[in-house]
């Protein structure tokens, strides 16, 4: 019983730490963002996972509004492994995968 | 003077197709394959003082295309489509609640230097969200006419019709398309921000109920439960709701048969009308209510914005078998018909994923198989309640659909080895939830009913006549000991191919039904109806009853298993040939599905025979 409550406490402490880390803005891309937190989009980064497609993917993402200064929030995850993720940006919702999320640098609002 | 050609251009989900339906009304040229617009659909605009042709283009976010359907839109806009000049007027449709995204395409279109008109659609929803758009000043800034529409309302397009009435096409020689890309995305969005700041007061926010609904339907667990519950309800409804109208049609067919039997003297004409024409086409016609119900649900789900959420939920599991959330909608529309489903794979960017989707799309049970399933299930599966609320027949139907889906998953998984994989993005818009628009659903249903009736009236009717002829001639010799049909051409052909299907337990009547089913699967039903009507020499027994006396349960289950996989109808094979542009792929497609059908029917027959 005691062990269990300690465990819960530890978890709570971890969550607090996670929140603190957020406030400090230590995550580098949308892929590291927690759900439900508004962030500001920064520059589009390249992701080698897309290979030759990468510039076209960047172009399309920019066209859809993933541009510096836009406000964005993760609103949900698909089945298994938090991939894909659903985001809200400029009053529109999009589903994208972690690979695309890694291209979007973000900073706290 | 030639009729001006106007084209609707816009993002996916901007309500373009609703607007198209509203403008062309009941007089639209009925496209062969409704559903996701991947090819151009056209119709005459109603309510104009002069005539004008309207083209509905596939939805596109940009002229820098990333998929084949966007390429189709671009080719038509630029006049690169073979045999077509560029449209005389581009009607850019923008969802007013999603102005920023829509305007980007509008500015890009404007740089082409083509006659352009901007339509702000779903203006009522924008106003309900507290958005105020100063349309005259926006039009002045853009330098193009801007009108607002509410495509969901009758009379909601009157402003657009007025604007179109004033439109005069330019003489052809003054039309020069500017192809240079003068501005970057950043510059375009900077201009859009200025436009929004100047002409839009109060920006729309997504209503709270939409976000709440999304937390439920996109929840990894609850969302999946909702999805499967929805699917189960649809299959239950297809059986339960269809029963009263189905009985009505059956009664009508019986009444016609009895009437002609009484009216006409015994002879060839009476046999032809009663056993051939009425038994054959009537046997297929009774499934109209079920097809209407199935399409009603598909149209409502499509219209509501729900399907993109389902695609989002299923992306990860589908990627495990070489598909993705992007293949979800093409595969779902294959439940209606594989042909539009295969065409809708053009929205898939990854060529390998598109290939796999094409190969497995026909394993999604199409509506043409529904009559075959319904006939055999009705004849062999008792109408019993299971767990108090489920109907055993509905469950069997559900199981057949599941068998198709599971086989598709297996086939896709096996096809994954083909070619090394590049990564393609998902980037799927999750559109606003909308109440399905009754007018739009009604037009969609009208199209489906019309297509079905046209099939009954043309291909099914003519093949029924041929089957009747083959089943009636030559007549039995005078010393015949068996029913006359055993001596007919159909009897000979059926018996000739029957040894091939003997391991599956099929009798020759079942074999002969497989051949015309290549043209349209429902014809298996009308062929069986004709063949059994002639051999029974009594047209008054329902086909289902006749079958339950002449087939064993094991054989009927094997027949069902066969129809899960084959025969692929000729139009499906033709569209696979066109979309893959490869004879090898088409041959592979046809062969593997026939092999699967044979194998599945054999296994089913063997296992079912044990009991």
């Amino acid at each position: 019983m005691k062990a269990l409550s300690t465990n819960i406490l530890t978890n709570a402490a971890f969550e607090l730490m996670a929140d603190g880390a957020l406030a400090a803005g230590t995550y580098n891309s949308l892929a590291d963002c927690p759900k439900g937190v508004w962030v500001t989009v920064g520059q589009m980064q390249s992701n080698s996972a897309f290979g030759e497609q990468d510039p076209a993917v960047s172009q399309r993402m920019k066209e859809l509004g993933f541009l510096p200064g836009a406000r964005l929030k993760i609103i949900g995850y698909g089945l298994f492994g938090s991939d894909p993720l659903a985001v809200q940006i400029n009053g529109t919702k999009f589903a994208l995968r972690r690979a695309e999320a890694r291209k979007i640098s973000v900073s706290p609002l | 003077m030639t009729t001006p050609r106007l084209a609707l251009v816009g993002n996916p989900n901007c309500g373009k197709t609703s607007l198209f339906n509203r403008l062309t009304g009941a007089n639209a040229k009925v496209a062969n394959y409704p559903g996701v617009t991947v090819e151009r659909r056209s119709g005459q605009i109603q309510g104009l003082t002069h005539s004008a042709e309207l083209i509905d283009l596939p939805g596109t976010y940009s002229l820098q295309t990333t998929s084949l359907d966007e390429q189709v839109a671009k080719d038509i806009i630029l006049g690169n489509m073979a045999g077509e000049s560029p449209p005389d007027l581009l009607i850019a449709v923008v969802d007013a609640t999603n102005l920023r995204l829509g305007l980007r395409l509008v500015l890009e279109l404007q740089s082409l230097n083509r006659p352009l008109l901007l339509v702000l659609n779903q203006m009522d929803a924008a106003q309900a969200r507290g958005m105020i758009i100063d349309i005259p000043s926006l039009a002045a800034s853009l330098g193009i006419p801007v009108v607002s529409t509410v495509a969901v309302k009758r009379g909601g397009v009157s402003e657009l019709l007025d604007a179109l009435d004033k439109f005069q096409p330019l003489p052809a020689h003054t039309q020069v398309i500017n192809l240079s890309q003068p501005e970057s995305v950043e510059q375009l969005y900077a201009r859009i921000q200025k436009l929004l700041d100047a002409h839009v007061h109060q920006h729309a926010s997504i209503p709270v109920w939409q976000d709440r609904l999304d937390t439920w339907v996109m929840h990894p667990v609850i969302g999946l439960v909702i999805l499967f519950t929805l699917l189960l309800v649809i299959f239950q409804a297809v059986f339960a709701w269809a029963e009263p109208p189905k009985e009505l049609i059956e009664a009508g067919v019986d009444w016609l048969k009895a009437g002609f039997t009484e009216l006409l003297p015994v002879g060839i004409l009476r046999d032809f009308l009663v056993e051939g024409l009425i038994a054959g086409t009537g046997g297929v016609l009774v499934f109209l209510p079920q097809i209407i119900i199935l399409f009603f649900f598909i149209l409502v789900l499509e219209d509501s914005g729900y399907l993109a959420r389902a695609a989002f939920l299923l992306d990860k599991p589908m990627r495990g078998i070489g598909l993705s959330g992007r293949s979800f909608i093409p595969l779902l529309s294959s439940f209606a018909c594989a042909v539009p489903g295969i065409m809708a794979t053009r929205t898939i960017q990854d060529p390998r994923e598109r290939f796999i989707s094409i190969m497995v799309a026909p394993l999604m049970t199409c509506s043409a198989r529904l009559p075959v399933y319904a006939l055999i299930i009705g004849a062999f599966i008792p109408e019993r309640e299971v767990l108090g609320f489920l109907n055993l027949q509905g469950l069997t139907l559900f199981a057949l659909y599941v068998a198709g889906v599971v086989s598709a998953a297996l086939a896709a998984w096996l096809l994954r080895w083909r070619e090394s994989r590049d990564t393609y993005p998902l980037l799927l818009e999750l559109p606003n939830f909308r109440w399905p628009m009754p007018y739009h659903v009604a037009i969609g249903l009208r199209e489906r009913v019309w297509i079905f009736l046209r099939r009954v009236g043309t291909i099914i009717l003519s093949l029924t006549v041929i089957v009747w002829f083959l089943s009636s001639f030559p007549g039995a010799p005078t010393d015949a000991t068996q029913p006359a049909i055993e001596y007919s051409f159909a009897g000979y052909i059926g018996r000739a191919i029957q040894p091939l299907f003997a391991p599956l337990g099929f009798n020759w009547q079942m074999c002969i039904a497989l051949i015309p089913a290549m043209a349209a699967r429902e014809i298996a039903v009308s062929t069986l109806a004709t063949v059994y009507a002639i051999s029974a020499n009594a047209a008054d027994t329902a086909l289902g009853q006749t079958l339950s006396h002449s087939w064993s349960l094991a054989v009927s289950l094997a027949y069902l298993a066969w129809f899960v996989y084959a025969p692929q109808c000729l139009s499906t094979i033709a569209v696979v040939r066109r979309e893959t542009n490869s004879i090898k792929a088409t041959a592979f497609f046809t062969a593997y599905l026939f092999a699967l059908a044979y194998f599945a029917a054999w296994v089913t027959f063997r296992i079912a025979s044990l009991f």
Side-chain angles (χ1 to χ4, degrees), chain A residues 49-50 53 59-65 67 77-79 83-86 88 91-95 97 100, chain B residues 62 64 66 70 98 104 186 189 206 211 214 218 220 312 315-316 319 324 423-428 430:
Chain A
F50 290 110
Q53 309 283 333
Q59 168 77 10
R60 176 49 60 96
M61 288 177 74
K62 284 196 252 172
E63 286 172 348
L64 295 179
L67 280 173
Y77 299 110
L79 283 174
D83 193 17
L85 35 99
Q88 185 174 326
T92 314
K93 294 171 181 174
F94 288 100
R97 299 204 188 109
E100 289 105 274
Chain B
S62 165
Q64 311 231 10
T66 55
E70 290 186 339
N98 204 353
R104 205 210 57 81
E186 287 86 352
Y189 267 113
I206 300 175
D211 289 340
D214 260 338
M218 295 204 300
F312 162 76
D315 181 61
K316 181 86 183 213
R319 279 169 75 197
S324 83
T423 308
Y424 285 80
L426 177 64
L427 290 181
L428 193 68
L430 304 169

Side-chain angles (χ1 to χ4, degrees), chain B residues 12-29:
Chain B
N13 312 308
C14 67
K16 210 161 38 63
T17 300
S18 307
L19 196 63
F20 177 83
N21 284 343
R22 189 59 83 181
L23 286 171
T24 56
N27 280 36
K29 223 182 278 169

